[in-house]
Amino acid sequence: MRPLTDDETRLVFEKLKKYIGQNLRQMVDRPDGVHLFRLHKERVFYMSERLLKHAGHIPKKELLSAGVCLGKFTHSRKFRLLITSLDYLARLAQYRVWLKPSGEQHFVYGNHVVKAHLRRITEGAPKNAGVVVLNEADVPIGFGVTARSTDECTNIGAEALVVYHQADVGEYLREEADLV
């Protein structure tokens, strides 16, 4: 496990900022101790300093995971958030989308969100902003990117796309082997 380089840190923070905006500072400067970002096998982990010290006693080849896997770097060196980061995104998200029960099932199966499945959306969400998708009970089920702004959503048809699917909790079953 090694610290992120400046370029890697920039890519990770840009992606996180798309979803949590100014709340990124709450993730970096936590009152409960120092938390760090570390890279291991092209995956970015977020963990406490105490956990990092304990993980340092495990050989690199045998270490699978330590802390929360926020995402991974692709072969083209772009950063992609994984569903395992949903807890942090949901807690700190700027924009949220709530779905009806029928839309919840479609989203969890990996489909985009159409207006017919939309219960409500945070006011002022711009186009191409990162959003956390929740069900009616305020349980986070995934995240995506808005296809239209909040204002545009009022004037479109029922089958128009509102949120592009990025990740959902159904991935824990569909991509079980790839998450580790």
Side-chain angles (χ1 to χ4, degrees):
M1 261 194 196
R2 67 168 178 80
L4 300 175
T5 64
D6 290 341
D7 287 339
E8 291 168 345
T9 303
R10 183 183 50 78
L11 289 171
V12 170
F13 282 4
E14 283 175 1
K15 184 65 83 162
L16 286 173
K17 192 169 184 144
K18 183 175 184 176
Y19 288 90
I20 61 179
Q22 297 304 318
N23 294 335
L24 181 60
R25 177 145 314 295
Q26 292 178 18
M27 202 169 174
V28 176
D29 299 329
R30 292 183 51 163
D32 59 335
V34 178
H35 282 67
L36 308 164
F37 295 91
R38 289 292 186 255
L39 186 75
H40 182 65
K41 296 182 180 177
E42 298 303 314
R43 296 180 188 279
V44 176
F45 292 93
Y46 179 66
M47 68 188 84
S48 67
E49 191 173 40
R50 188 174 144 260
L51 182 61
L52 178 63
K53 288 179 182 177
H54 290 298
H57 296 291
I58 300 170
K60 284 185 180 180
K61 289 185 179 181
E62 294 179 20
L63 183 66
L64 289 178
S65 174
V68 176
C69 181
L70 292 180
K72 66 179 183 178
F73 284 100
T74 62
H75 293 293
S76 59
R77 301 308 294 164
K78 292 181 181 168
F79 183 69
R80 183 173 184 268
L81 285 172
L82 296 177
I83 189 63
T84 51
S85 65
L86 181 62
D87 289 339
Y88 289 98
L89 294 180
R91 192 173 37 124
L92 301 169
Q94 273 187 314
Y95 305 112
R96 293 176 171 84
V97 170
W98 287 266
L99 299 182
K100 296 176 182 174
S102 60
E104 179 182 350
Q105 185 175 10
H106 283 278
F107 185 77
V108 171
Y109 286 167
N111 298 318
H112 301 306
V113 177
V114 295
K115 187 182 178 205
H117 296 146
L118 195 65
R119 174 66 67 203
R120 68 178 203 233
I121 185 169
T122 306
E123 287 297 318
K127 185 176 182 177
N128 298 323
V131 293
V132 171
V133 180
L134 303 112
N135 64 11
E136 286 182 328
D138 281 342
V139 176
I141 58 172
F143 55 90
V145 176
T146 54
R148 303 183 187 323
S149 67
T150 304
D151 297 333
E152 292 174 11
C153 289
T154 58
N155 303 324
I156 58 174
E159 292 302 314
L161 288 178
V162 177
V163 176
Y164 295 120
H165 175 275
Q166 295 287 317
D168 64 79
V169 292
E171 288 182 22
Y172 284 115
L173 298 174
R174 291 193 308 270
E175 299 176 19
E176 187 176 3
D178 295 335
L179 287 177
V180 177

